Coordinates of all heavy atoms in Angstrom, one line a residue:
M230 N 0.2 9.2 8.4 CA -0.4 8.9 7.1 C 0.1 7.6 6.6 O 1.2 7.2 6.9 CB -0.1 10.1 6.1 CG -0.5 11.5 6.6 SD -2.3 11.7 6.7 CE -2.7 12.1 5.0
I231 N -0.7 7.0 5.6 CA -0.2 5.9 4.9 C -0.3 6.2 3.4 O -1.1 7.0 3.0 CB -1.0 4.6 5.3 CG1 -2.5 4.8 5.1 CG2 -0.7 4.2 6.7 CD1 -3.3 3.5 5.2
E232 N 0.5 5.5 2.6 CA 0.5 5.7 1.2 C -0.1 4.4 0.6 O 0.3 3.3 1.0 CB 1.9 6.0 0.7 CG 2.0 6.3 -0.8 CD 3.4 6.7 -1.1 OE1 3.7 7.9 -0.9 OE2 4.1 5.9 -1.7
L233 N -1.0 4.5 -0.4 CA -1.6 3.4 -1.0 C -2.1 3.7 -2.4 O -2.2 4.8 -2.8 CB -2.8 2.9 -0.1 CG -4.0 3.9 -0.1 CD1 -5.3 3.1 -0.4 CD2 -4.1 4.6 1.2
W234 N -2.3 2.6 -3.1 CA -2.9 2.7 -4.5 C -4.4 2.6 -4.3 O -4.9 1.6 -3.8 CB -2.4 1.6 -5.4 CG -0.9 1.8 -5.8 CD1 0.2 1.2 -5.3 CD2 -0.5 2.6 -6.9 NE1 1.3 1.7 -6.0 CE2 0.9 2.5 -6.9 CE3 -1.2 3.5 -7.8 CZ2 1.6 3.2 -7.9 CZ3 -0.4 4.2 -8.7 CH2 1.0 4.1 -8.7
D235 N -5.1 3.6 -4.6 CA -6.5 3.8 -4.5 C -7.2 3.4 -5.8 O -6.7 3.8 -6.9 CB -6.8 5.2 -4.1 CG -8.1 5.3 -3.3 OD1 -8.9 4.3 -3.2 OD2 -8.4 6.4 -2.8
L244 N -5.6 3.3 -11.2 CA -5.1 3.3 -9.8 C -4.4 4.6 -9.6 O -3.7 5.1 -10.5 CB -4.2 2.1 -9.5 CG -4.8 0.7 -9.7 CD1 -3.7 -0.3 -9.6 CD2 -5.8 0.5 -8.6
V245 N -4.6 5.2 -8.4 CA -4.0 6.4 -8.0 C -3.3 6.3 -6.7 O -3.9 5.9 -5.7 CB -5.0 7.6 -8.0 CG1 -4.4 8.9 -7.6 CG2 -5.8 7.6 -9.2
K246 N -2.0 6.6 -6.6 CA -1.3 6.6 -5.3 C -1.7 7.9 -4.5 O -1.5 9.0 -5.0 CB 0.2 6.5 -5.5 CG 1.0 6.2 -4.3 CD 2.5 6.2 -4.4 CE 2.9 5.0 -5.2 NZ 4.4 5.0 -5.3
V247 N -2.2 7.7 -3.3 CA -2.6 8.8 -2.4 C -2.1 8.5 -1.0 O -1.6 7.5 -0.7 CB -4.1 8.9 -2.4 CG1 -4.7 9.1 -3.8 CG2 -4.8 7.6 -1.8
H248 N -2.2 9.6 -0.2 CA -1.9 9.5 1.2 C -3.3 9.6 1.9 O -4.1 10.4 1.5 CB -1.0 10.7 1.7 CG 0.4 10.6 1.2 ND1 1.0 11.6 0.6 CD2 1.3 9.6 1.3 CE1 2.2 11.2 0.3 NE2 2.4 10.0 0.7
R249 N -3.5 8.7 2.9 CA -4.7 8.8 3.8 C -4.2 8.7 5.2 O -3.2 8.2 5.6 CB -5.6 7.5 3.5 CG -6.1 7.5 2.0 CD -7.3 8.3 1.9 NE -7.8 8.2 0.5 CZ -8.5 9.1 -0.1 NH1 -8.8 10.2 0.5 NH2 -9.0 8.9 -1.3
D272 N -8.1 -0.7 6.6 CA -8.8 -0.6 5.3 C -10.1 0.2 5.4 O -10.4 1.0 4.5 CB -9.1 -2.0 4.7 CG -7.9 -2.8 4.3 OD1 -6.8 -2.1 4.1 OD2 -8.0 -4.0 4.1
Q275 N -9.2 4.0 5.3 CA -8.9 4.4 3.9 C -10.2 4.5 3.1 O -10.4 5.4 2.3 CB -8.0 3.4 3.3 CG -6.7 3.2 4.0 CD -5.9 1.9 3.6 OE1 -6.1 1.5 2.5 NE2 -5.1 1.4 4.5
V294 N -0.2 11.6 -5.1 CA 1.0 12.0 -4.4 C 1.9 12.8 -5.3 O 2.4 13.8 -4.8 CB 1.7 10.7 -4.0 CG1 3.1 11.0 -3.5 CG2 0.9 9.9 -2.9
D295 N 2.0 12.5 -6.5 CA 2.8 13.3 -7.5 C 2.3 13.0 -8.9 O 1.3 12.2 -9.1 CB 4.3 13.0 -7.3 CG 4.6 11.6 -7.5 OD1 4.0 10.8 -8.2 OD2 5.6 11.1 -6.9
K297 N 3.5 11.1 -11.0 CA 3.8 9.7 -11.4 C 2.9 8.7 -10.6 O 3.2 7.5 -10.6 CB 5.3 9.4 -11.3 CG 6.1 10.2 -12.2 CD 7.6 9.8 -12.1 CE 8.3 10.7 -13.1 NZ 9.5 11.3 -12.5
S298 N 1.9 9.2 -10.0 CA 1.0 8.4 -9.1 C -0.2 7.8 -9.8 O -1.2 7.6 -9.1 CB 0.6 9.2 -7.9 OG 1.8 9.5 -7.1
R305 N -0.8 -3.5 -12.7 CA -0.7 -3.6 -11.2 C 0.5 -4.4 -10.7 O 1.1 -4.1 -9.7 CB -2.0 -4.2 -10.7 CG -2.0 -4.4 -9.2 CD -3.3 -4.9 -8.6 NE -3.5 -4.1 -7.5 CZ -4.7 -3.5 -7.1 NH1 -5.7 -3.7 -7.8 NH2 -4.8 -2.8 -6.0
D306 N 0.8 -5.5 -11.5 CA 1.9 -6.4 -11.0 C 3.3 -5.7 -11.1 O 4.2 -6.2 -10.5 CB 1.9 -7.7 -11.9 CG 2.1 -7.4 -13.3 OD1 1.8 -6.4 -13.9 OD2 2.7 -8.3 -14.0
K307 N 3.3 -4.6 -11.8 CA 4.6 -3.8 -11.9 C 4.7 -2.7 -10.8 O 5.7 -2.0 -10.8 CB 4.7 -3.2 -13.3 CG 4.8 -4.3 -14.3 CD 4.8 -3.6 -15.7 CE 4.9 -4.7 -16.8 NZ 3.6 -5.0 -17.4
L308 N 3.7 -2.5 -10.1 CA 3.6 -1.4 -9.1 C 4.3 -1.7 -7.8 O 4.2 -2.9 -7.3 CB 2.1 -1.0 -8.9 CG 1.3 -0.5 -10.1 CD1 -0.1 -0.3 -9.7 CD2 1.9 0.7 -10.7
D309 N 4.8 -0.7 -7.2 CA 5.3 -0.8 -5.8 C 4.1 -0.8 -4.9 O 3.3 0.2 -4.8 CB 6.2 0.4 -5.5 CG 6.6 0.4 -4.0 OD1 6.5 -0.6 -3.3 OD2 7.0 1.5 -3.6
Q310 N 3.8 -1.9 -4.2 CA 2.6 -2.1 -3.4 C 2.8 -1.6 -2.0 O 2.2 -2.2 -1.1 CB 2.1 -3.5 -3.4 CG 1.6 -3.9 -4.8 CD 0.3 -3.2 -5.2 OE1 -0.5 -2.9 -4.3 NE2 0.1 -2.9 -6.4
S311 N 3.7 -0.7 -1.7 CA 4.0 -0.3 -0.4 C 2.8 0.4 0.3 O 1.9 0.8 -0.2 CB 5.2 0.7 -0.3 OG 4.9 1.8 -1.1

Side-chain angles (χ1 to χ4, degrees):
M230 305 292 280
I231 56 172
E232 189 173 276
L233 67 135
W234 286 99
D235 206 352
L244 296 169
V245 182
K246 190 184 288 186
V247 299
H248 289 129
R249 298 277 185 206
D272 292 342
Q275 300 163 31
V294 170
D295 59 27
K297 295 182 179 132
S298 295
R305 178 175 226 139
D306 62 331
K307 296 178 181 101
L308 301 176
D309 173 17
Q310 292 291 327
S311 60

